[in-house]
Amino acid sequence: MMSTSPKSVTAAPVAATAFGVVGSSGQGTALGDGVLGRWQRRNRERTIPHGLEQLEAVGNIDNLRGAAGLSNAPFRGPVFADSDVYKTLEAVAWELGHEGDEALRTFYDDTVALLEKAQEDGGYLNSAYQLADAGGTPRRDHATVRERWSDFAFGHELYCAGHLIQAAVAAARSLGDDRLLEVATRFADLIVREFGGPESAVYPGHPEIEYALVELYRLTGKREYLETAAAFIDRRGAGWLGDGVFGRAYYQDDAPVRDTEIMRGHAVRAIYLNSGVADVYLETGDRPLLAALETQWDDMVSRRSYVTGGTGSRHRDESFGDAYELPSDRAYAETCAGIAAMHWAWRMYLATGGAKYADFFETALYNVVADGLAESGDAFFYSNPLQLRADHLSVQEEAAATRLSWYYCACCPPNLMRTFASLEGYLAGVRDGELQLVQYTRSRIEAEVQGGRCVLDVDTEYPADGRVRITVAEASRGAGSHDGPLGALSLRVPAWCGGVRIVVNGAAVTAEPADGWIRLDNALAEGTVVELDFDLTPQVLLPDERIDAIRGCAAVRRGPVVYCLEQRDNEADVDRAALDPAALDRATRDPDEPLVETDISTELGPILETSGAVRESGVGELYAPSGRKRPTSERAVLPSGRTVLPSGRTVFPSECTVLRLRPYATWGNGDPGAMRIWIPIAR
């Protein structure tokens, strides 16, 4: 067994300690039976076992058996098929750290042993290339891959190595098992030898290994891993990868990282890259890197992201589009991009302490990422559009009308597995003598603050319910320390929140958020009880007028949860539905007026009702002159007492149309049907 000298002890995926905030997750941090805890349990009981079956069925495990000389089966799947095994292995390692499971343990032990056997003496491990050496024919979209280290743009060797390293870090931290770490470090050492020195021009076409190498440095203390990650970042922008099919911007290779101001190219690659850049900053304090990240973050959030936290508006190259190019029905918003955005947001929070990054993390988690998995736990969306038409016929995996059980390009399912398996690692942070509570869910949080140990018990059904009760279950100082509270407790107040009521030990507290935080000095004393009540009044959102695809529409959000119309909840035709402008106008005077919470509940909040209009069926010209009347059967009926014809004439009445909205992440769990987040406002 190899011996490691970890720089920090943590059970979390990210263990940054040099600059900024320190993640608080220790071995005692755990999710309770709240929303996130139930998602994590579903992941363990349904999603991961389903994934293990699929990895056997589609050939991922057989590929590794072939590399180990245990199978003669031909290579199957995309050239990066090994990465799906590694992401699943990471998920299993985190879950085994929560509690034992015989089937998961067997998979873990058998797969680690298989990787040990498949790895070459020099450290190389990638079944696609090892089988190609033996005469196999691994394939991808653009060419047949046969020579290792010959295609850095699309070959994914460094990408797969990064996921292997992350699985190994999870196993070491969660299980204290170094067997997989030995495999990963042998491969990492090979990469350092081959590409880490100043004579090398190499960097990966698909970033990912950068933040894996930084995490390996954090675990082992071997600085060459950090230096190699930094070298990959510093070299980028030289155009070394070539133009490829989609141009240099697709690879984020059109400009050096420090000079980049906008998010462009393949969304997952771009955000994985920036996660690695953030990790390098967190260990080096390289301020120009952070400045570039802050500029790109603001560009993404203000001009290139969906209300769900989704990113990537183009199907052809899975990329960011132009500023404000955010079509609902053609939104790509890949699940992996949502997970990547959570990774980057967390690191930006660690780097700056900024609450806005935690806000985005929360938005992505409860919307685009949660949408990627069915309530049953065994079906997945690859892309997450904000609108689906009733006659959507696509059966392509990247634009399916319903969630599919698996994919040829199965990057998203195991990414979801490892994300849900490690959610407790993203709950809180410690900075300057204060414990910052970042995400609200039923949990037990353990943290080290100013040399002492603090344990918080958090009780809530957030985000369905805005009430949160926080109890300081333990606050003990180290030997020789003076008595008294450990420090302050800071509570994130999300930007969407119109108000929050705070009670400390039974007494109301008046406090205004500063930069998204409310700081309660000296609250980290054993027995302190803090009660929060966030205002979850549903809000009507209007888009920037430059987003042409949704101009004249509105959306609904309750807390961090975005809502949608789905056909199964509505008698009205969702494709023809419109919101009553009079009701929306009343929202400015009485927020409860246009959006009523029903007694029908979902895990993320109640079904909402509002008044609206629906154009009755009738066939007219697709594009008619403004003065021409359409059939009168195509009138729009408004509950405010008007019926508006396309000609502009108003007639009088009829009946109120009720529109029912549900949390976006819960749609698509019944019969396929139309769905939309952005709803036209009737004119």
Side-chain angles (χ1 to χ4, degrees), residues 11 89 108 179 549 563 571 577 600 629:
L89 198 57
Y108 175 82
R179 290 176 298 159
Y563 274 66
E571 295 180 6
I600 306 171
K629 298 178 182 179

Side-chain angles (χ1 to χ4, degrees), residues 571-619:
E571 295 180 6
D573 185 345
V574 166
D575 282 338
R576 297 171 177 270
L579 293 169
D580 180 2
L584 296 183
D585 181 63
R586 289 196 298 271
T588 59
R589 298 188 297 274
D590 183 358
D592 292 324
E593 174 68 27
L595 296 160
V596 178
E597 297 185 5
T598 72
D599 57 4
I600 306 171
S601 62
T602 75
E603 199 164 41
L604 293 177
I607 299 293
L608 303 178
E609 288 186 350
T610 188
S611 56
V614 62
R615 190 180 298 280
E616 296 177 359
S617 62
V619 179

Side-chain angles (χ1 to χ4, degrees), residues 11 13 25 29-49 90-91 93-99 104 174 365 373 377 416-427 441-444 603:
S25 183
T29 296
L31 297 176
D33 190 28
V35 172
L36 299 188
R38 292 192 292 272
W39 286 358
Q40 191 172 83
R41 185 172 65 248
R42 177 186 63 190
N43 186 53
R44 180 175 60 250
E45 295 175 354
R46 293 283 298 162
T47 312
I48 294 177
E90 180 186 345
W94 292 125
E95 287 296 354
L96 288 174
H98 300 148
E99 62 180 73
L104 296 187
S174 186
L365 172 60
L373 182 63
L416 286 165
M417 294 176 208
R418 67 175 183 145
T419 299
F420 289 127
S422 57
L423 280 175
E424 71 274 13
Y426 302 97
L427 300 182
T441 191
R442 191 168 292 149
S443 56
R444 185 173 180 85
E603 199 164 41

